[in-house]
Amino acid sequence: MKLTTAQALVRWMLAQRTELFDGSHVPLFPGVFAIFGHGNVLGLGNALEEVRDRIPVWRGHNEQGMALAAVGIGKATHRRQVGVATSSIGPGALNMITAAGVAHANRLPLLLLPGDTFTGRAPDPVLQQVEHFHDPTATVNDAFRAVSRYFDRITRPEQLLSTLPQVARVLTDPADCGPVTLALPQDVQAESYDFPASLFAPVLHRPLRQRPDRNALAEAARAIRSAARPLLVLGGGVRYSGAAGRALRFAEQHGIPITETTAGRTLVPHDHPLHAGPLGITGSTSANVLAGEADLVIAVGTRLQDFTTASWTVFSPDVHMVSLNAARFDAVKHGAFALVADADEGLRELTDALGAWQAAPDWARRAQTERAKWDQHITKLRVPGDGLPTYAQVVGVVNDVSGPTDYVMTASGGLPGELIGGWRAAGEATMDVEYGFSCMGYELAGAWGAAIARPEGVVTTLLGDGSYLMLNSELFSAAFAGHGFVAVVCDNDGYAVIHRLQTGQGGAGFNNLYADCTSSHAEPPRTDFAGHAAALGCAVFAVDSLGDLEGAYRKAREVAVDERRPAVVVIRTHPSSWTEAGAWWEVGVPEVSHRAEIAAARDEVLEGKARQVRYLS
């Protein structure tokens, strides 16, 4: 079949199907986000136009934003579908690098198709080309290598025959999943080749289920049976395996308390008697108490990021760990005993290996007792008070109104701590807190992608004023395309959570809250978030008090569904009220300072480092 490189790539994408956890089959690539320029409009642009009735193409308005929306699709579908984004060369391509970093840090599938400079070099330097004096083969797209799980530059059409199977492998592999970048020189996009028809035969990608090694399984079972106080930690790998039900049955059969990581949040029903709460700095005191007393941790599908482990101070120094993970890279970290397997298969076989063994009933009851204390704390934080509403109160209103099929999101600032620590889950895998990269701006762009991917329920994203100002253009993209979600914008006058970190470690408030920033105005201007969102085609509900928030949020939900456009709720919030789990986090406090407060904070850092588990026993 004589096709251009771009036509062949698009035809291959159309042939790829994926099986969801319910057994249904859908396109692996549900659509393409595109901003066209001279580097992709004639090659890939024409190829996509020819099949516009078979795959939707959504126009973005910022390359980073549209690529983040593609990441949001991968997360909302539990890695069963892959968002695609294409840009022109130069600045358009480089704008997508941040989104690649988000996908890479969070182990999420993403296909990036940036245009590239001419391989023939006749018009060099072409418009938007960055010339490298030492290497004429280098282009700005080489910057993607650091944030791509798989990178290739297609310099001849027939190279697709060898690279496309690798593209599919990375995007669908539980262990290697991450962003793929195919750099597409604009002259090569338009060149043709006689491709074999078999390249475009339909392919169905089913979830891979790696089973554990028998010897490793037996060793893991022996370690668990010897434990008096085991703790189960569920991460994103449980979600992507569809293993939440299996994990609950495992915990119930063996009487093991359960905690969740950031990526694993909402896998466990909030009121489950074995649920100890979320773990770590942005988690709960209840889970952290159990983690400090556990003599063995069964970590399933988690890379144990520093926020989850409180910079490795949340566990006892004498703790042992069994790490069940599809990726051996993650399973062996910190000297844990590695059990390399799919979460669902691994837990199933581990259950069989443990037989009738159970942890002590008193230990299992600790989860319910400690979580009840944390629940009481969160309930108090949600009670309306005088002054500006707090994040906890805003989250409480959204939580109370939301149902089991709704989906809640955030990414940066103080809101991750409020959602991770305070949200009470009604549905399974209904939260996306992008806290691997904590990318400001993901909140709105990712919500666009989630709204595309989730046909049921309402997508709600919560964000601060800083994230809104960082990246808001995809509000118009979603409104134009007809994808509705709710955005709750909490205005607290600046980068308040970084101000908290700055002053909490002894520093002076500087360049974070507006009050601490340089301005030549006696009364600096304020952002009219409601007016701005309305100008981008959104329905807007501005409220002045917590009492008005519930009604406004309910109306916003109705508009998002009925009118199929974003609905933005704007509310002023308190700049210094937070939900605290009482855990420690290592940050770089100066060893030398003229401020006594910083010297004291440095002493606390040294005390914290003395408690760190440096390598598991």
Side-chain angles (χ1 to χ4, degrees):
M1 303 177 67
K2 194 173 186 63
L3 300 169
T4 67
T5 303
Q7 288 172 324
L9 174 58
V10 170
R11 187 174 292 233
W12 175 84
M13 289 168 53
L14 289 172
Q16 309 305 302
R17 305 280 290 177
T18 183
E19 183 176 275
L20 303 182
F21 294 129
D22 64 5
S24 61
H25 298 168
V26 296
L28 179 63
F29 304 104
V32 179
F33 297 90
I35 294 178
F36 293 132
H38 71 89
N40 65 341
V41 67
L42 298 178
L44 198 55
N46 282 337
L48 288 168
E49 189 279 331
E50 291 171 352
V51 295
R52 61 187 305 172
D53 59 332
R54 298 180 60 191
I55 185 169
V57 176
W58 301 294
R59 172 179 152 165
H61 292 85
N62 176 289
E63 290 88 355
Q64 177 183 331
M66 70 177 189
L68 288 173
V71 175
I73 286 179
K75 184 62 177 283
T77 60
H78 317 313
R79 299 203 307 199
R80 298 312 304 150
Q81 289 185 291
V82 182
V84 184
T86 179
S87 75
S88 188
I89 72 170
L94 288 178
N95 277 349
M96 298 196 296
I97 286 179
T98 298
V102 170
H104 200 288
N106 290 282
R107 314 290 210 271
L108 292 171
L110 171 67
L111 179 56
L112 296 175
L113 305 174
D116 212 329
T117 55
F118 284 84
T119 58
R121 302 186 192 171
D124 280 8
V126 70
L127 176 67
Q128 298 179 310
Q129 179 177 347
V130 173
E131 295 181 274
H132 296 78
F133 298 173
H134 65 291
D135 185 357
T137 68
T139 77
V140 295
N141 285 345
D142 288 292
F144 281 98
R145 294 179 186 271
V147 285
S148 296
R149 193 73 73 189
Y150 183 81
F151 176 93
D152 196 4
R153 176 176 286 111
I154 306 302
T155 58
R156 292 188 58 83
E158 59 266 35
Q159 290 172 351
L160 289 180
L161 297 172
S162 62
T163 205
L164 290 178
Q166 302 301 329
V167 170
R169 172 187 63 81
V170 173
L171 293 174
T172 62
D173 191 291
D176 290 344
C177 187
V180 170
T181 301
L182 289 186
L184 301 172
Q186 63 170 299
D187 52 346
V188 178
Q189 289 182 46
E191 293 173 359
S192 65
Y193 180 75
D194 289 323
F195 288 94
S198 55
L199 179 64
F200 313 114
V203 176
L204 177 63
H205 300 275
R206 291 187 169 93
L208 297 176
R209 303 289 187 190
Q210 182 180 2
R211 298 174 64 181
D213 174 80
R214 292 178 181 177
N215 292 330
L217 182 69
E219 287 291 328
R222 277 195 290 271
I224 294 170
R225 280 194 295 267
S226 66
R229 298 177 303 280
L231 184 67
L232 184 62
V233 179
L234 303 184
V238 178
R239 172 179 180 158
Y240 305 137
S241 172
R246 179 81 65 188
L248 282 179
R249 292 191 295 274
F250 175 84
E252 290 163 354
Q253 181 167 334
H254 304 296
I256 303 175
I258 313 168
T259 70
E260 300 168 310
T261 71
T262 298
R265 278 297 272 125
T266 66
L267 288 171
V268 182
H270 177 74
D271 293 329
H272 194 284
L274 289 171
H275 185 214
L279 184 65
I281 298 166
T282 51
S284 60
T285 301
S286 53
N288 293 343
V289 166
L290 264 70
E293 298 178 10
D295 58 356
L296 182 132
V297 171
I298 309 167
V300 185
T302 173
R303 62 195 181 109
L304 296 172
Q305 183 226 31
D306 68 336
F307 260 64
T308 297
T309 65
S311 296
W312 285 94
T313 62
V314 76
F315 302 120
S316 162
D318 300 322
V319 73
H320 299 273
M321 185 170 293
V322 172
S323 183
L324 197 169
N325 204 295
R328 189 168 184 82
F329 177 87
D330 291 316
V332 302
K333 287 179 177 175
H334 297 278
F337 179 84
L339 187 61
V340 181
D342 165 70
D344 193 69
E345 285 293 322
L347 287 172
R348 180 180 65 81
E349 296 201 14
L350 195 54
T351 296
D352 294 340
L354 289 173
W357 176 88
Q358 284 193 324
D362 289 348
W363 173 245
R365 284 193 290 270
R366 285 291 304 283
Q368 196 166 12
T369 301
E370 293 297 332
R371 202 201 70 239
K373 297 176 186 177
W374 179 252
D375 286 350
Q376 291 174 2
H377 174 64
I378 295 298
T379 298
K380 290 179 181 178
L381 293 179
R382 290 183 173 187
V383 173
D386 298 329
L388 291 172
T390 66
Y391 275 2
Q393 291 165 349
V394 171
V395 168
V397 171
V398 174
N399 198 170
D400 289 344
V401 174
S402 298
T405 62
D406 294 330
Y407 193 70
V408 64
M409 305 177 61
T410 194
S412 60
L415 281 163
E418 306 300 326
L419 282 183
I420 298 167
W423 190 263
R424 294 168 179 173
E428 180 185 316
T430 51
M431 179 183 289
D432 176 7
V433 176
E434 193 289 286
Y435 223 39
F437 220 47
S438 189
C439 179
M440 295 179 71
Y442 176 78
E443 295 95 336
L444 294 175
W448 179 24
I452 292 171
R454 294 182 66 88
E456 296 183 3
V458 175
V459 173
T460 297
T461 183
L462 294 98
L463 66 156
D465 51 300
S467 281
Y468 185 97
L469 291 173
M470 188 75 71
L471 184 60
N472 51 60
S473 55
E474 303 324 307
L475 281 173
F476 176 73
S477 302
F480 184 88
H483 301 123
F485 59 87
V486 179
V488 180
V489 180
C490 300
D491 181 3
N492 60 12
D493 280 343
Y495 302 140
V497 75
I498 297 300
H499 173 81
R500 175 180 64 158
L501 174 63
Q502 185 179 50
T503 57
Q505 298 299 320
F510 176 62
N511 206 49
N512 286 309
L513 294 183
Y514 290 133
D516 300 325
C517 296
T518 302
S519 175
S520 60
H521 299 284
E523 293 188 13
R526 291 192 59 84
T527 303
D528 180 2
F529 293 103
H532 185 270
L536 292 178
C538 302
V540 176
F541 303 87
V543 297
D544 297 321
S545 68
L546 189 67
D548 296 330
L549 178 60
E550 180 178 343
Y553 177 60
R554 290 186 182 276
K555 291 178 182 177
R557 289 168 58 92
E558 293 174 1
V559 169
V561 174
D562 296 341
E563 299 183 17
R564 294 188 301 176
R565 60 173 173 148
V568 177
V569 180
V570 181
I571 185 169
R572 292 287 305 280
T573 52
H574 198 280
S576 58
S577 295
W578 315 99
T579 299
E580 302 278 3
W584 181 72
W585 185 37
E586 182 177 353
V587 291
V589 178
E591 287 192 39
V592 179
S593 172
H594 67 279
R595 292 179 62 88
E597 299 91 338
I598 289 181
R602 180 69 188 181
D603 289 340
E604 293 180 4
V605 168
L606 297 177
E607 292 173 5
K609 289 186 70 64
R611 301 194 308 271
Q612 285 178 317
V613 179
R614 301 307 301 270
Y615 201 80
L616 297 166
S617 58

